[in-house]
């Protein structure tokens, strides 16, 4: 026998012996190629250590371009983070749907509940249930009434009062301190509408020659903003208007259509100021139809999940994680347009 064959023969005989021995113990031998089970299997981290952080998010709906950008930011951030599981629920503008979603998240024992509350009031009962279930709640973008501050851990979002003030300052400048204004308000009872109105109206009061002659809700959406503006333009007050302040860009874009259809020039006959900063608003500034946009950041996904992780790690969070925002008019807006992310 050649030496190579001799070696092969010994390996085969050893294999046969091993197979027989294993057979005696009644166990099926592991295939030769299978790696041996690591000796540390028992000490490997318990499944709970590897468990994803489950976050239930109750979104208001899809009423505006801004809202779409916020939803995308939250969904994409979760998708790109293997440690996160997102349970997403769209309430279609109804508070009762948000309450149902939160109850479902509680029943599912999620780690963290996040929500953008459609209105400020009416959360006490359901958020108390979350508190009793020891599930922390993070408010995203909109706030709830002050008396229920102990029912959430942190609020991640903008200073809506400041946005209103900044919008008013821009309007005063565009009007040269004199004129009649229409205010298109957001959803009735929403913190974004309540605070943007407060900030704007208080600032405008400092200018006695500027009057808010009509103030009406356009529900933060374009179609309603347009309808409301059409009706106002047909009313007696509508005949003498120099400015429109819209609580969001979508309503401003609807108002622009209504003004054009009424044969007037938005941006010059009637100055327009709005809040959000979606790309379409920047394009309207470039086209000379909108005068100023006050930015409101919807890209809150990264901050939300960081806050959820910090909470689970036992860290103390600030009660308000505030967004930093800018005001855009004229050339500044045109220059910023190519880099807008939403
Ligand atoms: O709460 C933020 C507001 O809600 C945004 O300004 C608006 O576009 C949205 O629908």
């Amino acid at each position: 026998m050649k030496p190579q064959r001799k070696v092969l023969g010994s390996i085969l005989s050893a294999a046969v012996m091993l197979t027989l021995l294993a057979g005696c113990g009644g166990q099926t031998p592991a295939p030769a190629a299978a790696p041996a089970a690591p000796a540390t299997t028992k000490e490997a981290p318990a499944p709970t250590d590897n468990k994803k952080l489950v976050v239930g998010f109750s979104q208001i709906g899809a009423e505006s371009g801004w809202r779409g950008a916020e939803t995308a930011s939250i969904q994409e951030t979760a998708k790109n983070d293997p440690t996160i599981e997102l349970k997403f629920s769209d309430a279609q503008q109804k508070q009762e749907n948000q309450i149902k979603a939160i109850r479902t998240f509680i029943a599912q024992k999620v780690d963290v509940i996040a929500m953008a509350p459609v209105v400020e009031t009416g959360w006490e009962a359901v958020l108390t249930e979350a508190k009793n279930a020891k599930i922390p709640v993070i408010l995203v973008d909109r706030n709830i009434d002050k008396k229920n501050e102990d029912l959430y851990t942190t609020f991640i979002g903008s200073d809506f009062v400041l946005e209103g003030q900044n919008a008013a300052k821009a309007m005063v400048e565009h009007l040269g301190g004199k004129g009649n204004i229409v205010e298109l308000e957001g959803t009735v009872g929403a913190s974004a509408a309540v605070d943007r109105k407060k900030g704007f109206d208080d600032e405008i009061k400092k200018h006695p020659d500027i009057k808010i002659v009509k103030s009406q809700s356009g529900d933060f959406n374009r179609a309603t903003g347009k309808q409301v503006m059409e009706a106002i333009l047909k009313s007696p007050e509508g005949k003498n208007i120099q400015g429109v302040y819209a609580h969001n860009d979508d309503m401003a874009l609807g108002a622009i259509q209504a003004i054009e259809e009424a044969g007037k020039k938005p941006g010059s006959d009637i100055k327009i100021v709005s809040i959000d900063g979606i790309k379409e608003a920047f394009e309207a500034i470039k086209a000379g139809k909108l005068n100023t946009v006050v930015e409101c950041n919807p890209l809150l996904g990264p901050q939300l999940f960081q806050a959820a992780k910090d909470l689970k790690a036992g860290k103390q969070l600030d009660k308000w994680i505030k967004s930093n925002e800018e005001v855009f008019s004229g050339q500044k807006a045109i220059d910023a347009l190519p880099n807008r992310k939403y």
Side-chain angles (χ1 to χ4, degrees), residues 60 63-67 141-142 160 163 187 191-192 196 219-220 247-250 275-276 296:
I60 293 170
E63 74 282 4
S64 63
W66 188 99
R67 186 68 50 202
D141 134 49
R142 291 190 192 167
F160 295 137
E163 290 175 350
T187 303
S191 67
R196 285 174 183 169
D219 210 12
F220 279 131
H247 287 191
N248 82 344
D249 290 344
D250 278 80
I275 299 177
D276 272 0
C296 178

